[in-house]
Amino acid sequence: MKQVRPKKNLGQHFLTDLNIAKRIADTVDACPDIPVLEIGPGMGVLTQYLVPKPREVKVVEIDRESVQYLQEHFSTIRSTDGPLPLGDERRRLPEQEGKNPPTWIISADFLRMDLNEVFGGRPFVLTGNYPYDISSQIFFKMLDNKELIPCCTGMIQREVALRMAASPGNKQYGILSILMQAWYDVEYLFTVDETVFNPPPKVKSAVIRMTRNGVEDLGCDWALFKRLVKTVFNQRRKMLRVSLRQMFTNVQPPASFFEQEIMTKRPEQLSIPQFVELTNKVEEKLKD
């Protein structure tokens, strides 16, 4: 079969540098002994370095042409239209006894999958060369399933990677930084030049790794925390005493509430613990 044609509507940019592919694959070694799920394997440039690792690997691919290519070029790959049930006898074929289990292709849209079904409720590492246009959606889904995903690695647009790893006071610090870092330690590992892709994207890429930070209870209402963070960063140039007023539609707290010292700050100046503290203060006033 001829090579897969990159599809613009799927945001496909196939990595062509094998050294970089191996470096990305090796980032999953920071979380050993658990399965790996790769998103968007394309023609398997990253997959070929994941398969030999001593762990179970599955890949999820929405592009039927890529699925067919992987089936024809990887002798250990098996295909399914959905996650296999735990204990399915096909997961290890007789000729592979004593070797790594076959790598299963899940022909599906990752954003629509029930991640509890992928490895029978077991935790796993998420990795991939993520499509730029849906990378944020992928990571928000990861947050919704954070108890299943203790580690996430892979390649994304450099600008997004910088935002995710940014610290307070940095101009890239924003919604994505805070929501991710609330639950994960984010590492910016290395930059990837646009010339090593087919077709070359118009921007540089970066490889990141996110590892659960041990926080089990954020200390505030998570839904309200997200709402507050998004509200104030929608007016990031304004002081909190201005942008926070949008949180109060049916009730207005006393003027003294907006006279606190923290209200003179702009959102990019606040740390995550300060956002937690602010969320609890807002929740208290919303209940008055």
Side-chain angles (χ1 to χ4, degrees):
M1 181 185 176
K2 65 180 181 180
Q3 292 194 336
V4 178
R5 174 181 53 85
K7 299 170 183 62
K8 187 175 181 180
N9 67 309
L10 294 179
Q12 290 177 329
H13 295 274
F14 294 143
L15 181 65
T16 58
D17 188 311
L18 298 184
N19 290 326
I20 292 175
K22 186 178 186 307
R23 288 179 70 187
I24 297 171
D26 288 345
T27 62
V28 306
D29 294 341
C31 292
D33 306 323
I34 59 175
V36 175
L37 178 66
E38 180 191 357
I39 296 177
M43 292 188 290
V45 66
L46 177 58
T47 314
Q48 65 185 316
Y49 297 110
L50 293 172
V51 168
K53 293 183 181 294
R55 57 172 86 191
E56 189 175 356
V57 175
K58 292 183 181 181
V59 301
V60 55
E61 177 58 72
I62 196 172
D63 179 20
R64 290 284 182 174
E65 187 181 5
S66 291
V67 170
Q68 185 178 351
Y69 180 93
L70 291 167
Q71 288 174 314
E72 294 182 4
H73 285 77
F74 286 79
S75 60
T76 60
I77 278 188
R78 304 290 182 267
S79 183
T80 176
D81 284 331
L84 293 173
L86 190 62
D88 192 300
E89 62 182 7
R90 294 174 296 166
R91 288 175 59 190
R92 186 183 291 276
L93 302 182
E95 68 271 18
Q96 292 170 314
E97 286 296 338
K99 302 179 182 178
N100 288 351
T103 299
W104 284 96
I105 309 172
I106 303 170
S107 181
D109 180 350
F110 172 79
L111 297 177
R112 297 176 178 271
M113 289 171 58
D114 181 349
L115 299 188
N116 281 288
E117 296 181 358
V118 180
F119 292 103
R122 290 177 291 155
F124 59 88
V125 179
L126 191 66
T127 194
N129 176 13
Y130 303 112
Y132 290 162
D133 55 347
I134 63 167
S135 61
S136 294
Q137 296 176 61
I138 289 171
F139 297 136
F140 287 138
K141 180 166 181 129
M142 178 188 77
L143 281 181
D144 291 339
N145 293 270
K146 58 185 178 296
E147 302 311 321
L148 278 176
I149 306 174
C151 185
C152 172
T153 76
M155 185 157 53
I156 57 176
Q157 186 175 343
R158 182 172 181 268
E159 179 185 344
V160 176
L162 288 171
R163 291 208 307 267
M164 292 175 66
S167 302
N170 189 300
K171 65 179 181 179
Q172 281 96 7
Y173 186 68
I175 297 171
L176 200 56
S177 321
I178 294 163
L179 299 187
M180 291 298 153
Q181 292 176 34
W183 304 103
Y184 288 86
D185 293 327
V186 182
E187 301 171 82
Y188 184 108
L189 299 180
F190 58 91
T191 302
V192 180
D193 194 80
E194 58 269 36
T195 59
V196 298
F197 294 91
N198 175 37
K202 296 180 180 179
V203 295
K204 292 188 183 301
S205 302
V207 176
I208 60 166
R209 179 168 51 224
M210 293 179 282
T211 309
R212 282 284 275 121
N213 58 16
V215 173
E216 297 298 332
D217 183 355
L218 194 57
C220 67
D221 181 271
W222 173 235
L224 184 60
F225 179 89
K226 290 190 292 183
R227 179 184 159 203
L228 184 149
V229 169
K230 291 176 181 178
T231 296
V232 297
F233 273 100
N234 283 337
Q235 293 184 298
R236 65 179 300 148
R237 295 181 181 275
K238 296 185 182 297
M239 293 183 183
L240 295 173
R241 66 188 181 195
V242 176
S243 55
L244 268 181
R245 292 184 185 276
Q246 297 178 59
M247 300 284 294
F248 301 95
T249 53
N250 298 322
V251 59
Q252 281 296 321
S256 59
F257 178 77
F258 295 104
E259 293 171 358
Q260 301 174 70
E261 182 181 355
I262 195 172
M263 297 297 178
T264 65
K265 296 182 180 294
R266 291 178 173 81
E268 67 269 17
Q269 297 177 283
L270 268 61
S271 66
I272 291 173
Q274 287 176 306
F275 271 109
V276 170
E277 178 186 355
L278 188 59
T279 300
N280 287 328
K281 288 181 177 181
V282 168
E283 182 178 29
E284 180 182 344
K285 293 304 175 183
L286 286 172
K287 291 178 178 178
D288 286 349

